[in-house]
Amino acid sequence: MTSKISIIGAGNVGATSAHRIVEGGYADVVLLDIVEGLPQGKALDIQQSAPVINFKTTITGSNDYKDTAGSEVVIVTAGLFRKPGMTRDQLLAANAEIVSGVVKNVVKYSPDCIILMVSNPLDAMTYLAVKASQFPRKRVVGMSGVLDSARLSTFIASELKIPPEAISAWVLGAHGLNMVVIPRLSTVRGKPLTELLSQETIDKLVERTIHGGREIVDLLKMGSAFYAPSAGIAGMAESIVLDKKETLPCAALLDGEYGIKDSVIGVPLKLGRGGIEQIVEFELTAEEKKLLHGSAEGVKDLIKQMGFK
Ligand SMILES: NC(=O)c1ccc[n+]([C@@H]2O[C@H](COP(=O)([O-])OP(=O)(O)OC[C@H]3O[C@@H](n4cnc5c(N)ncnc54)[C@H](O)[C@@H]3O)[C@@H](O)[C@H]2O)c1
C-alpha cells in the first residue's frame, strides 16, 4: 500500500522534496502552501513528469489542511529562509509564529503522524513542534545532520578524489555555527579520516562544513540550499514509511541521552515507522561531549527566547 506524506511549504525545499518523494514511488504526496495556486501549479507540473519518469504515485497541491488528513508523515518546510549575512538563529521569531500555526493544523488533521521538521532555526523549531503538537518526542524529528554529514562527505570525497559512497561521516549537535563535526568517527572504507588526512586539511574541511549553508546562500543571493536538503528529507521520509530503521544523524528532543535534557540537537537515530525508534549513543571523548553539551546549551538559549521556562 502506498503511504501518504504531506509537505507544508511549497517553496524551494518543499517542492524539491515532493519531487524526490513522489518519484521514489513509495508515497503519494500532498503539497500545501498559504499562497494560492503555488502548490497546485507545482504539483501539476511534477505529476505531468510521471509518464516520462514512469512513477505511479500521485501529487496534489492544496491550500486546505483537510487534504492532508491521515498523513503518515508531515514535513514542515514553511517559513523564511536566511539572506546573505544572516544566521539561521535570526529567523527565530518569524518562523516560530509560522511553525506554531502550521503544527496546530497538522495535529488536527493527522493526529497520528510523524512530524519531520525542516524550517530554521532547525533545533529550536523541532523543540517548538514537540511542545505545540504535544506528541511523544519519538514522533517529532528534525532534518539537520543528514545534510551536514553529506556536506562533509562531499568535501572529503573531493579532497581524496574517491566516490562519496566510500565515506561514512558524522556531524552531530545543533544545525548552526556550533554543530559538532567528529572527524574521529568519520571513516573512508572503515579507516578513520584522522589516518588519511593531515590535521590542517581536516580543519579546513570541518570549517567548510560548518559554513556549508552560508557558502550557498552567498552564491545564490536570492535563496538558500534546497537540492541537498531535499535529499536528506527524502532519505529520512523513506526510512520512516518503509520502516528501514536506518541510523541517521537527525535532531531529537533529548531526555538524558548524552547527559543532555530538555534540549534538541542532532544525534544518531534509528528511524522507522514509529518515528525515532532508538537514540544511538556513540562513545564520545570528553572533548567531544563538551562540544555536544555546548551545542545543546546554545539551543536552550533559543528555546528560552521563544518563551519556554
Ligand atoms: N533544516 C535544514 O537543513 C534546512 C535546509 C534548507 C532550508 N531550511 C529551511 O527551510 C525553510 C524553507 O526554505 P525554502 O528555501 O523552501 O524557502 P521558500 O521561501 O522557498 O519556501 C517557503 C514556503 O513557505 C510558505 N509559507 C510561509 N508561511 C506559511 C504558512 N503559514 N503555511 C504554509 N506555508 C507557508 C511560503 O509561501 C513559501 O512558499 C526555511 O526556514 C529554511 O531556512 C532548512
Side-chain angles (χ1 to χ4, degrees), residues 7 13-14 17-18 20-21 26 75-77 116-118 143 146-147 226 228-240:
I7 302 180
V13 177
S17 302
R20 289 190 191 279
I21 291 169
Y26 51 85
I75 301 166
V76 180
T77 74
L116 200 169
M117 278 307 307
V118 181
M143 196 290 291
V146 179
L147 170 64
F226 54 98
S230 62
I233 293 163
M236 288 171 65
E238 194 175 322
S239 190
I240 296 170

Side-chain angles (χ1 to χ4, degrees), residues 8-14 32-35 38 65 77-82 91 95 98 102 118-120 122 143-144 147 175 224-225 229:
I8 316 301
N12 280 339
V13 177
L32 183 143
D33 202 283
I34 36 166
V35 179
L38 180 76
Y65 278 90
T77 74
L80 308 183
F81 60 84
R82 63 187 168 144
L91 300 168
N95 282 354
I98 292 171
V102 166
V118 181
S119 313
N120 273 320
L122 186 273
M143 196 290 291
S144 53
L147 170 64
H175 183 55
S224 64

Side-chain angles (χ1 to χ4, degrees), residues 73-207:
V73 176
V74 180
I75 301 166
V76 180
T77 74
L80 308 183
F81 60 84
R82 63 187 168 144
K83 314 271 177 334
M86 283 177 82
T87 65
R88 296 179 179 94
D89 293 355
Q90 286 172 300
L91 300 168
L92 185 75
N95 282 354
E97 199 176 322
I98 292 171
V99 167
S100 318
V102 166
V103 169
K104 266 186 214 135
N105 280 305
V106 168
V107 172
K108 182 170 171 194
Y109 290 100
S110 302
D112 300 319
C113 74
I114 312 288
I115 297 178
L116 200 169
M117 278 307 307
V118 181
S119 313
N120 273 320
L122 186 273
D123 306 275
M125 292 304 108
T126 303
Y127 186 93
L128 176 60
V130 177
K131 297 295 166 183
S133 64
Q134 297 186 348
F135 280 3
R137 66 183 177 128
K138 64 182 293 220
R139 288 209 279 126
V140 183
V141 62
M143 196 290 291
S144 53
V146 179
L147 170 64
D148 297 323
S149 304
R151 285 181 173 148
L152 178 60
S153 292
T154 304
F155 301 145
I156 296 170
S158 103
E159 186 69 34
L160 291 170
K161 299 183 179 49
I162 53 167
E165 70 260 24
I167 302 161
S168 160
W170 288 95
V171 178
L172 308 180
H175 183 55
L177 293 177
N178 51 1
M179 70 179 69
V180 181
V181 187
I182 308 188
R184 188 181 62 84
L185 296 178
S186 300
T187 55
V188 177
R189 295 191 186 99
K191 250 189 173 191
L193 197 57
T194 38
E195 288 179 20
L196 297 165
L197 291 170
S198 68
Q199 192 56 47
E200 193 189 353
T201 307
I202 291 175
D203 289 347
K204 195 183 73 186
L205 303 186
V206 167
E207 201 55 19

Side-chain angles (χ1 to χ4, degrees), residues 207-278:
E207 201 55 19
R208 192 167 177 205
T209 302
I210 292 172
H211 298 289
R214 194 193 68 193
E215 185 177 353
I216 291 170
V217 168
D218 289 347
L219 286 166
L220 295 179
K221 295 179 186 73
M222 294 291 290
S224 64
F226 54 98
Y227 292 112
S230 62
I233 293 163
M236 288 171 65
E238 194 175 322
S239 190
I240 296 170
V241 298
L242 298 183
D243 202 28
K244 287 168 86 178
K245 301 194 198 298
E246 279 186 275
T247 302
L248 301 167
C250 313
L253 175 61
L254 298 187
D255 187 25
E257 297 84 4
Y258 290 95
I260 295 165
K261 256 184 180 287
D262 206 33
S263 188
V264 168
I265 51 163
V267 288
L269 305 175
K270 207 168 266 184
L271 278 184
R273 249 181 198 276
I276 300 171
E277 304 211 338
Q278 190 192 343

